[in-house]
């Protein structure tokens, strides 16, 4: 190098140094743990978050919005969690819930535990106090050992004590939520981790896209061969569809199995529409006959729990179960399963369909026609019951549902959310579904208080219109989050069936008191006024014709709407589906 070149380089270096001195010292860009959390969620593909902010997660929600993640803010954490769980069920990807610490965490944990029981993929992320202070019982702000509180109730739980832990925790939580049998996962996001500062360049090294977050596992061929042998030898076969089959999104495979081999089917509540309720092989109205007379039942994505009498009760004692499930611990839970097929639902059905090719069913030729004839008679009686109820004054559940049935069956792409006691049971029985994943209800735990959250989650996750049919008691658990529907301008219509009570509004106190009976609410409540408060389009209806017109207009508007459906206080009775759990059916109450 020449002397001239050296001199030039030296001058340039001196000039750069002088410039830097004038500009002041250079510091690397820095980020917080809250930024790392938002980026980690973005990296695994999360585009929506539900929650309620406050110390210490408020800024995390703002940063998530800045990363392009939609944040839907609620009035109560439980409803935000129900929305996240419904999002997970409908999209096959985890719904994400963000809460504050302590009681905010506890409120959300109700929904996360429910998601775990019902097999919905969901991730709850909660701000948490410094665990070193919690461990020493120092009385810090909102002190609670959240990690160990959550662990027994969720599928997996992680604690982030440092910002560097966050991307790994998010990726592992995603994998745990969707793998095998899906469920709720908890991440304890401590204040030290959220507030920690890192150089952006170092933080960038932490991010990665996890590979094969869901790796489907096929069943063994011997298990498939056993199932096919039992199915093809059946004289009176049937298929029972559960919400696990709906979640799996294997609709075409189920349709091929049923229609090719002419097997009658019935669906559990949230599997309604996976095959049309009014389809050629639907045995929905022949449930008792299926239970009592079938010799082989293939259970696809359902559990033989209390809703199916634990596989005992009315079931034919000589009947054989074939059970398709991703969780081996589900097999033989309450009754022996003759042919367990354990594996991914899609893989299992592919192998069963392949093994069935060229084989002939031994079905009794009178089996399907007899069920079709029975269904025709029972359906005619049910339709007559709805028609007769129209004249009831004031309305009862059946007369109101005669109107809702017409509107919703004319709008099959509307997602139906449904909860209550009689309102749940009667709506499920009345309204036929023809599309999969278009009915969301309280599912296996039969809980109340999921209505507004699930309606919001369904609308946000799918962009579709939603109708929530709610009992007045059920609506009371989550009604304030109707304001969330209005704030986000979602195409949700909420219909409140007001009979003034839990079961009904005619409860009589058992002792000398001026207080209302334990089951009495307010049959004169005007729930439409709540809709007015938040700017919704509202209706108050007292006849089936008024309700039909209001529901038609509300769906067409694609705006937040609330319909107060006035029933008589004597409409409804205590649900008899779980009588064995009700002490009132076992003992006499003396006054």
């Amino acid at each position: 190098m020449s002397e001239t070149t050296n001199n030039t380089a030296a001058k340039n270096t001196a000039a750069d140094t002088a410039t830097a001195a004038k500009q002041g010292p250079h510091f690397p860009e820095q980020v917080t743990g809250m930024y790392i959390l938002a980026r980690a969620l973005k990296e695994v593909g999360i585009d929506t978050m539900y929650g309620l902010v406050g110390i210490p997660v408020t800024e995390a929600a703002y940063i998530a919005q800045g990363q392009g993640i939609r944040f839907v803010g609620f009035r109560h954490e439980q409803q935000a969690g129900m929305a996240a769980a419904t999002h997970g069920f409908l999209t096959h990807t985890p719904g994400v819930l963000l809460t504050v610490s302590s009681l905010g965490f506890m409120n959300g944990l109700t929904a996360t535990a429910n998601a775990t029981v019902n097999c919905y993929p969901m991730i709850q992320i909660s701000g948490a106090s410094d665990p070193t202070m919690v461990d020493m019982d120092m009385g810090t702000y909102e002190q609670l050992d959240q990690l160990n509180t959550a662990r027994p109730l969720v599928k997996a739980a992680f604690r982030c004590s440092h910002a560097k832990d966050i991307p790994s925790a998010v990726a592992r939580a995603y994998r745990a939520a969707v793998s095998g049998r899906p469920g709720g996962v908890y991440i304890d996001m401590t204040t030290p981790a959220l507030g920690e500062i890192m150089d952006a360049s170092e933080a960038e090294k932490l991010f990665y896209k996890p590979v094969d977050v869901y790796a489907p596992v096929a069943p063994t061929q011997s298990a498939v061969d056993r199932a096919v042998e039992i199915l093809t030898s059946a004289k009176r076969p049937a298929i029972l569809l559960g919400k696990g089959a709906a979640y799996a999104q294997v609709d075409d495979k189920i349709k091929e199995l049923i229609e090719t081999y002419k097997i009658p089917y019935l669906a559990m509540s949230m599997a309604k529409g996976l095959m049309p309720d009014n389809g050629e092989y639907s045995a929905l109205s022949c449930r008792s006959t299926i239970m009592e007379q079938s010799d082989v039942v293939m259970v696809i994505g359902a559990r033989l729990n209390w809703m199916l009498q634990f596989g005992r009760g009315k079931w034919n004692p000589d009947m054989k179960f074939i059970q398709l499930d991703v969780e081996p611990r589900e097999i033989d839970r309450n009754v022996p399963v003759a042919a367990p097929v354990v594996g991914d639902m899609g893989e299992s059905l592919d192998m069963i369909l392949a093994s069935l090719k060229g084989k002939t069913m031994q079905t009794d030729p009178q089996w399907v026609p007899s069920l079709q004839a029975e269904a025709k008679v029972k359906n005619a009686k049910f339709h007559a019951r709805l028609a007769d109820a129209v004249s009831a004054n004031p309305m009862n559940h059946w007369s109101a549902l005669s109107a809702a049935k017409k509107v919703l069956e004319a709008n099959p792409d509307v997602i139906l959310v449904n909860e209550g006691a009689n309102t749940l049971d009667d709506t499920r029985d009345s309204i036929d579904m023809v599309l999969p994943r278009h009915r969301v209800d309280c599912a296996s735990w039969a809980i109340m208080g999921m209505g507004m959250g699930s309606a919001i989650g369904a609308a946000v996750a799918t962009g579709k219109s939603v109708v929530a049919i709610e009992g007045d008691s059920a609506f009371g658990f989550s009604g304030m989050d109707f304001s969330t529907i209005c704030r986000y301008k979602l195409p949700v219509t909420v219909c409140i069936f007001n009979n003034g009570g839990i079961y009904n509004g005619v409860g009589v106190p058992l002792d000398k008191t001026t207080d209302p009976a334990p089951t009495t609410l307010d049959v004169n409540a005007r729930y439409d006024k709540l809709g007015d408060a938040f700017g919704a389009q509202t209706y108050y209806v007292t006849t089936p014709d008024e309700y039909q017109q209001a529901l038609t207009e509300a769906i067409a508007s694609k705006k937040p709407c609330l319909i107060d459906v006035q029933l008589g206080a004597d409409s409804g009775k205590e649900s008899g589906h779980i009588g064995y759990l009700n002490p009132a059916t076992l003992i006499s109450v003396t006054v």
Side-chain angles (χ1 to χ4, degrees):
M1 185 180 293
S2 68
E3 184 176 348
T4 302
T5 302
N6 286 335
N7 290 337
T8 301
K11 290 178 181 178
N12 289 339
T13 301
D16 291 341
T17 302
T19 301
K22 290 180 181 178
Q23 293 176 344
H26 173 71
F27 296 104
E29 181 183 356
Q30 295 180 316
V31 296
T32 64
M34 289 177 280
Y35 170 85
I36 293 172
L37 172 60
R39 272 290 306 278
L41 291 168
K42 188 74 173 177
E43 290 293 327
V44 297
I46 298 300
D47 59 10
T48 305
M49 184 188 299
Y50 304 89
L52 199 162
V53 297
I55 296 173
V57 299
T58 303
E59 188 177 347
Y62 276 108
I63 294 172
Q65 282 188 325
Q67 289 294 312
I69 296 173
R70 187 179 190 186
F71 183 83
V72 183
F74 280 71
R75 305 295 285 267
H76 196 281
E77 293 91 349
Q78 181 177 309
Q79 292 312 304
M82 295 298 180
T86 300
H87 186 115
F89 172 71
L90 294 175
T91 66
H92 232 195
T93 60
V96 175
L97 166 65
L98 180 69
T99 83
V100 299
S101 51
S102 187
L103 292 182
F105 149 78
M106 294 284 282
N107 289 340
L109 187 60
T110 300
T112 309
N114 187 60
T116 304
V117 167
N118 284 301
C119 312
Y120 307 145
M122 175 183 166
I123 300 171
Q124 177 176 346
I125 302 170
S126 293
S129 298
D130 185 339
T132 61
M133 301 178 77
V134 174
D135 292 344
M136 287 302 296
D137 192 17
M138 294 175 65
T140 186
Y141 175 72
E142 295 191 339
Q143 177 177 303
L144 178 66
D145 187 350
Q146 296 174 195
L147 180 70
N148 287 310
T149 300
R151 268 189 170 137
L153 301 173
V154 298
K155 188 177 178 185
F158 306 93
R159 171 177 284 160
C160 293
S161 294
H162 306 283
K164 64 181 178 58
D165 300 331
I166 295 173
S168 175
V170 168
R172 293 174 66 191
Y174 191 113
R175 190 182 300 276
V178 300
S179 296
R181 172 172 282 178
V185 179
Y186 174 64
I187 302 178
D188 204 52
M189 198 62 60
T190 66
T191 50
L194 287 169
E196 186 177 344
I197 296 172
M198 291 185 67
D199 287 352
S201 59
E202 291 302 308
E204 202 65 34
K205 298 174 184 177
L206 301 172
F207 301 120
Y208 67 99
K209 292 186 182 296
V211 178
D212 288 342
V213 289
Y214 179 78
V217 177
T220 63
Q221 187 61 50
S222 61
V224 170
D225 291 342
R226 184 187 303 112
V228 167
E229 180 182 355
I230 291 174
L231 182 64
T232 54
S233 64
K235 299 298 183 184
R236 298 178 302 281
I239 287 177
L240 177 64
L241 301 170
K243 69 176 178 295
Y247 168 78
Q249 300 188 14
V250 289
D251 314 340
D252 291 345
K253 303 178 199 298
I254 290 172
K255 177 181 172 69
E256 180 181 351
L257 175 63
I258 288 171
E259 294 187 347
T260 301
Y261 300 98
K262 299 177 172 56
I263 305 173
Y265 62 88
L266 58 88
M268 300 301 288
S269 185
M270 283 181 59
K272 283 168 63 69
L274 182 54
M275 290 291 291
D277 286 349
N278 56 4
E280 181 180 1
Y281 301 107
S282 173
L284 195 60
S285 55
C286 307
R287 178 182 169 114
S288 294
T289 303
I290 294 291
M291 294 172 74
E292 294 167 0
Q293 297 185 20
S294 288
D295 57 352
V296 173
V297 171
M298 177 180 278
V299 181
I300 304 179
R303 290 176 284 192
L304 296 169
N305 58 17
W306 68 274
M307 289 187 287
L308 291 167
Q309 299 181 18
F310 308 102
R312 302 189 293 267
K314 289 184 178 180
W315 290 95
N316 174 7
D318 298 322
M319 189 268 300
K320 295 179 179 179
F321 282 114
I322 301 167
Q323 187 170 6
L324 277 62
D325 204 289
V326 74
E327 174 53 66
R329 291 178 297 178
E330 194 59 45
I331 306 302
D332 298 334
R333 172 173 279 193
N334 291 308
V335 290
V337 172
V341 181
V342 178
D344 173 77
M345 197 70 69
E347 297 281 342
S348 298
L349 287 168
D350 280 340
M351 293 175 67
I352 287 171
L353 289 167
S355 295
L356 278 169
K357 289 196 181 301
K359 292 184 171 60
T360 303
M361 297 286 293
Q362 301 300 312
T363 306
D364 181 338
Q366 296 304 312
W367 175 235
V368 173
S370 69
L371 291 172
Q372 291 171 331
E374 180 183 345
K376 185 176 181 180
V377 171
K378 287 185 174 178
N379 290 341
K381 288 182 178 178
F382 189 79
H383 288 142
R385 181 181 188 179
L386 288 175
D388 291 343
V390 170
S391 60
N393 185 22
M395 281 195 292
N396 57 34
H397 289 86
W398 298 113
S399 52
L401 286 168
S402 68
K405 179 178 175 67
K406 295 174 186 175
V407 179
L408 289 173
E409 291 180 7
N411 293 274
D413 201 32
V414 170
I415 295 175
L416 173 62
V417 173
N418 185 207
E419 64 171 336
N422 294 270
T423 306
L424 172 72
D425 295 339
D426 297 345
T427 301
R428 180 187 59 235
D429 292 343
S430 299
I431 297 174
D432 286 340
M433 309 301 293
V434 296
L435 295 175
R437 295 168 296 281
H438 277 64
R439 178 182 167 85
V440 179
D441 61 34
C442 50
S444 300
W445 261 357
I447 52 111
M448 295 297 104
M450 44 67 67
M452 296 304 94
S454 289
I456 293 164
V460 171
T462 67
K464 296 179 182 290
S465 293
V466 176
V467 169
I469 296 183
E470 304 267 311
D472 56 328
S473 173
F475 178 74
F477 286 84
S478 65
M480 199 62 186
D481 266 303
F482 181 73
S483 67
T484 303
I485 292 171
C486 297
R487 195 163 69 254
Y488 287 86
K489 297 179 172 58
L490 299 175
V492 176
T493 297
V494 176
C495 307
I496 303 166
F497 281 22
N498 183 19
N499 66 352
I502 302 170
Y503 308 120
N504 60 54
V506 294
V508 178
L510 292 181
D511 61 341
K512 305 296 188 252
T513 177
T514 58
D515 290 337
T519 54
T520 299
L521 298 174
D522 185 358
V523 75
N524 296 311
R526 288 292 300 268
Y527 292 101
D528 55 312
K529 302 300 183 183
L530 177 66
D532 290 339
F534 298 111
Q537 188 166 302
T538 62
Y539 305 84
Y540 176 77
V541 300
T542 60
T543 69
D545 286 344
E546 290 175 353
Y547 182 29
Q548 182 176 344
Q549 181 178 347
L551 185 55
T552 301
E553 288 180 5
I555 292 172
S557 75
K558 295 189 179 298
K559 295 177 180 178
C561 297
L562 190 149
I563 305 176
D564 187 335
V565 184
Q566 185 64 61
L567 307 184
D570 60 347
S571 177
K573 61 183 180 180
E574 186 161 3
S575 176
H577 291 295
I578 51 174
Y580 75 96
L581 287 176
N582 187 353
T585 66
L586 305 176
I587 62 174
S588 298
V589 179
T590 58
V591 182

